Amino acid sequence: MMTKPSPRKMSHGVLLLGVLLGLVSCASVPTESAEAALQRANIAMGASALRSISYAASGTGATFGQAFVAGMAWPRITLSSFSRVADYENAAFREDAARSRAEPNGGGAIPLMGQGEQRTTGMLRAGHAWNMVGPAPVPAPLAVDARTHDLWTTPHGVIKAALANKPTLRQRTEEGRNLSAISFSLPGRFQATALIGPNGLIERIESVQPHPVLGDTASVITFSDYQDFGGVKFPMRIRQTQGGFPVLDLAVNEVKTNIATGIEVPALVPAFAERAVAEKAADGVWFLAGGSHNSVAIEQKDHMLLVEAPLYDGRSSVVLAEAKRLGNGKPVRFVINSHHHFDHSGGLRTAAAEGATLVTSELARPFFEKTMANPNRIKPDALERSGKRVTVTGVNGKRTFTDGERVVEVFYIDASVHAQGFLMVYLPKERILIQADAYTPAAPGAAAPARPNDLHINLVQNIERLNLQVAQILPLHGRMVPYSELLAAIGRKG
């Protein structure tokens, strides 16, 4: 008589069978290594013999870091032409663009809405970045990280960078499709994960890179509609977000492979060093120039007040040191930020690392409280290294700072299309106005523009609204000028 197995023995048998089948299944599908997945992409995309590549496109974009409202999307732009050159052999890169505004509000050097295009050329090689302004190269050390990221997050560049930097692999399933997720780090520059489809094509790159305002900043680049160019596959549609908002949406119309790039570092670029050149504007007031962005140091009885900590650690550390020197060692207690655009706020983390209280518009204060708390771990900046907590205080329309003798007034520039929460600083005794971007003086002796700039007109309207008795303007771009030059720029006599 056959004995019927107990339910417990049956369940154990089923469990054992399941484990064995699982082991057999795993054994029959060997796990792909990161290197093998990358070589699969190398072959599918024709990357092995690719020394350089260029592409031309048009589409839309955005001016990263120039939002009209702090924390909101970057202002949209139209790209009538856009091209990039990636030279993998020489770690060189070039980007050319013709850009115009697609919405009236927000910052950036692009002409105001409906008033033309801005043409830009940015370069990189051997860890040096520069811009071409006409025929002249202008060092751009702040751009090194971003352009290095752009070079090695091209579809073929990411394969080469990953192979050289200890890649790891995880399998990912999205919408029923199996993708190989290859992760690697380019030390001090960025971390990235490239997603490779079953056909070996790079579909998406998710990365994090350092930033002087946002800290560690996420970027997502997607590639689609691949076509073949002499054995090299390249996507005809490229989209990118940065800091959570769109920055590029390109339709590619031309691709060239293994071209001679001719990107060489101009001699003056490696020799560049940030410097703060102090020019006395009044007793205890110094205009700190020497770069693309200026600051102003104001002496108080027991401390210094600094207007503007721009760009990045490299610039603002030099400015802060000069402010303390001018004050015979007095600490910089307050740093007033003219507005939240990244070129004007990129040194606020530097100032906070030295213990300064940051003064922003009340409208931008929540944004800065959030971003100043973000880590910057990939390339630790002064704040990350200091471990200090940041104090941010706001200006709601008007705020006065005084030591009992010198008065410093901070006002909103109302109704500007440049930024919400746009601040200007006024010293009533000295009759000095300090402002950024609302007015940048033209070259000495230049004729007034045929059409007055709307930002200039708006600034004069605000000066008159507040009945400020301005004699001298200290602009945070350009040179010190008498107020009469601003009036002349809008067609009025002083």
Side-chain angles (χ1 to χ4, degrees), residues 3-18:
T3 303
K4 186 177 180 180
S6 69
R8 176 177 289 184
K9 288 182 178 179
M10 288 181 66
S11 64
H12 286 173
V14 171
L15 179 60
L16 180 59
L17 179 61

Side-chain angles (χ1 to χ4, degrees), residues 6 11 20 26 48 50 59 93 136-137 168 184 186 232 258 280-281 296 309 334 339 395 397 403 415 466:
S6 69
S11 64
L20 290 171
C26 290
S48 298
L50 191 66
F93 178 83
T168 61
F184 68 97
L186 199 62
V232 173
N258 291 332
K280 186 175 179 180
V296 177
F334 297 98
H339 61 303
V395 175
D403 61 358
L466 296 164

